[in-house]
Amino acid sequence: MFFHVFKYALKCLIKTRETVFWTLVFPFALSTFMFLAFGNLYETTEKFHAVSVAVVQQKENPIFEPVLKEVSGEGALLAVTETSEQQADKLLEEDEVKGIITVGDTVTLKVKESGMEQTVLHVFLNQFLQFKKTISDVAVAHPEKMGETVKKLSEQVDCFVEKNNTEGNQDDTVNYFYAIFAMTCLFASFASCDRILKIQANATALGQRRSVAPTHKLKGVLADFAACELVQYVIVCLLFLYMRFVLKIDFGTKIPAILLLLFVGTSFGIMLGILVGSLPRPGEAGKIGILISVSMVLSVLSDLVVDGIKALIERNVPILNDINPAALISDSFYALNIYEGYERFLQNLCILGGMTVALAVICYFVVRRNRYASL
């Protein structure tokens, strides 16, 4: 009988348009729009790229050429394009390069506008001219110290030691996609609320028929829960695959932990829906309204709309993040992506799992106590 109820619950969930829209279509559409709006923001505004510059060789300069070769190339400071003067002016006018370096008896720089890239070119060229003047002055005044001077100028003094704290994705905009996963897990409550209403005799006609059926109520609830969990977990996994392999969003390499997190997150959402759906009042529309309001408010507080809200809450009222399931889910994604260990992730997962178990216990007693004087 369990598998019979499970099979038909599965069919009903797949055919319910509202559930399919909010739990499948809406998250996929929202993640796509988020990607179109913010997907390349980090690459274009925060991440450093080599400054494109055109170089016009009017005369060989044996001092400047080795320096230019040292700072150009893949992963270097400058992306150099050697071309003619006319072509360089055209590239500058079309914003294909940020400046033109003309190499002759002297080295000069031409820019179209001011900005960070143009400042980098100015600093590079000024430093080269200072080094060149120093070498020239030493060659005239103290030629015997020429070798020592060149060696000193060639040495790079590092005042800081570079250390990578993480190999994870440093893009702040990925927080929006963490929040979408949290929202999708909470939206699983719509499916479970719909299923629990189907066994309440005072809510639907189907509930009246199921109430007089010989199937044990707890067995029916477990079958509905299993069907909801299967459908919602498959949906959220498909969303993860879509973001990871189609939108190319970097969530790190701890895939098994992410899948476990998504399972616990959808379980919480389903239990939330069962709890709200099993309340005697309000009606079906009112219960759906409660779930939408609660899910959206919790998701907004986990950075779904504006990045930084969760951090602001953490600084001022950290307890809110500790009891907000959406914040726990998004923070767990962050912890898996940024930190090497699992301490913060496991702490969040234990809190979320504990809240899920607490909701399950409450749901058991609420559903078990439902009695009807007549049908």
Side-chain angles (χ1 to χ4, degrees):
M1 185 58 70
F2 174 87
F3 291 102
H4 178 78
V5 176
F6 172 80
K7 180 179 68 174
Y8 281 96
L10 205 60
K11 291 182 177 180
C12 291
L13 286 171
I14 296 174
K15 293 180 180 181
T16 304
R17 295 179 180 178
E18 294 81 2
T19 302
V20 171
F21 173 79
W22 286 109
T23 59
L24 178 62
V25 179
F26 183 71
F28 274 79
L30 182 60
S31 62
T32 302
F33 294 145
M34 285 282 192
F35 177 77
L36 294 176
F38 306 115
N40 296 321
L41 188 63
Y42 175 73
E43 292 288 334
T44 57
T45 62
E46 297 185 32
K47 189 176 181 179
F48 176 79
H49 297 276
V51 181
S52 57
V53 59
V55 176
V56 179
Q57 292 279 1
Q58 293 182 342
K59 186 178 180 180
E60 290 187 4
N61 190 319
I63 299 178
F64 181 72
E65 289 177 3
V67 175
L68 184 63
K69 184 178 180 180
E70 185 69 24
V71 297
S72 61
E74 185 177 356
L77 179 67
L78 303 181
V80 176
T81 302
E82 295 189 9
T83 183
S84 63
E85 186 174 354
Q86 293 78 9
Q87 183 65 22
D89 289 332
K90 182 180 179 181
L91 293 174
L92 182 62
E93 186 65 28
E94 296 176 352
D95 291 326
E96 295 292 332
V97 296
K98 300 301 179 180
I100 301 173
I101 295 178
T102 303
V103 181
D105 293 329
T106 60
V107 181
T108 60
L109 174 65
K110 178 182 178 182
V111 295
K112 179 182 176 182
E113 56 189 6
S114 60
M116 184 182 69
E117 293 88 351
Q118 290 79 4
T119 301
V120 171
L121 295 175
H122 276 293
V123 171
F124 161 70
L125 198 58
N126 288 337
Q127 187 174 20
F128 166 75
L129 294 176
Q130 290 174 9
F131 284 179
K132 181 181 178 182
K133 184 176 185 303
T134 301
I135 293 174
S136 300
D137 293 343
V138 170
V140 173
H142 302 282
E144 71 280 2
K145 296 183 178 181
M146 189 66 176
E148 182 181 354
T149 302
V150 172
K151 181 180 179 181
K152 290 291 185 182
L153 292 176
S154 300
E155 291 178 352
Q156 181 179 359
V157 180
D158 292 326
C159 299
F160 301 94
V161 177
E162 182 179 357
K163 181 180 179 180
N164 290 330
N165 292 324
T166 178
E167 298 295 335
N169 188 357
Q170 300 293 315
D171 187 356
D172 290 337
T173 60
V174 78
N175 291 334
Y176 293 114
F177 300 97
Y178 298 159
I180 290 177
F181 278 115
M183 180 198 70
T184 306
C185 290
L186 294 181
F187 276 7
S189 61
F190 301 154
S192 57
C193 180
D194 176 74
R195 296 311 305 162
I196 201 66
L197 289 173
K198 296 299 189 293
I199 67 171
Q200 290 184 299
N202 63 337
T204 61
L206 178 59
Q208 295 177 4
R209 294 194 297 270
R210 293 186 65 176
S211 294
V212 298
T215 305
H216 194 279
K217 180 181 290 187
L218 180 59
K219 186 179 293 186
V221 172
L222 290 177
D224 285 336
F225 169 80
C228 290
E229 182 64 49
L230 177 60
V231 171
Q232 298 304 317
Y233 186 63
V234 168
I235 287 175
V236 78
C237 287
L238 289 176
L239 180 63
F240 173 74
L241 294 175
Y242 174 72
M243 289 189 188
R244 179 66 183 85
F245 296 104
V246 178
L247 301 184
K248 305 295 184 181
I249 299 173
D250 183 9
F251 292 110
T253 59
K254 301 174 182 177
I255 307 300
I258 292 176
L259 296 179
L260 175 61
L261 172 64
L262 295 177
F263 178 80
V264 177
T266 52
S267 298
F268 177 88
I270 290 170
M271 284 302 170
L272 178 64
I274 293 177
L275 177 61
V276 174
S278 60
L279 297 176
R281 290 183 178 80
E284 181 177 359
K287 292 175 180 179
I288 295 299
I290 291 174
L291 291 176
I292 292 176
S293 301
V294 171
S295 299
M296 291 308 300
V297 169
L298 295 179
S299 299
V300 168
L301 295 180
S302 66
D303 291 348
L304 178 64
V305 178
V306 179
D307 184 31
I309 292 181
K310 184 158 63 76
L312 181 64
I313 295 175
E314 186 66 28
R315 288 194 298 268
N316 296 279
V317 195
I319 188 65
L320 290 181
N321 283 339
D322 294 335
I323 61 176
N324 180 358
L328 291 172
I329 294 172
S330 63
D331 189 67
S332 296
F333 269 100
Y334 176 83
L336 289 174
N337 199 353
I338 298 300
Y339 300 120
E340 293 184 1
Y342 290 87
E343 181 179 353
R344 182 167 171 176
F345 164 75
L346 292 176
Q347 178 182 347
N348 293 335
L349 195 67
C350 288
I351 296 175
L352 186 61
M355 294 169 63
T356 304
V357 172
L359 285 182
V361 173
I362 296 173
C363 291
Y364 171 76
F365 286 105
V366 170
V367 174
R368 183 171 176 267
R369 291 182 60 186
N370 283 344
R371 296 291 185 272
Y372 307 102
S374 62
L375 294 177

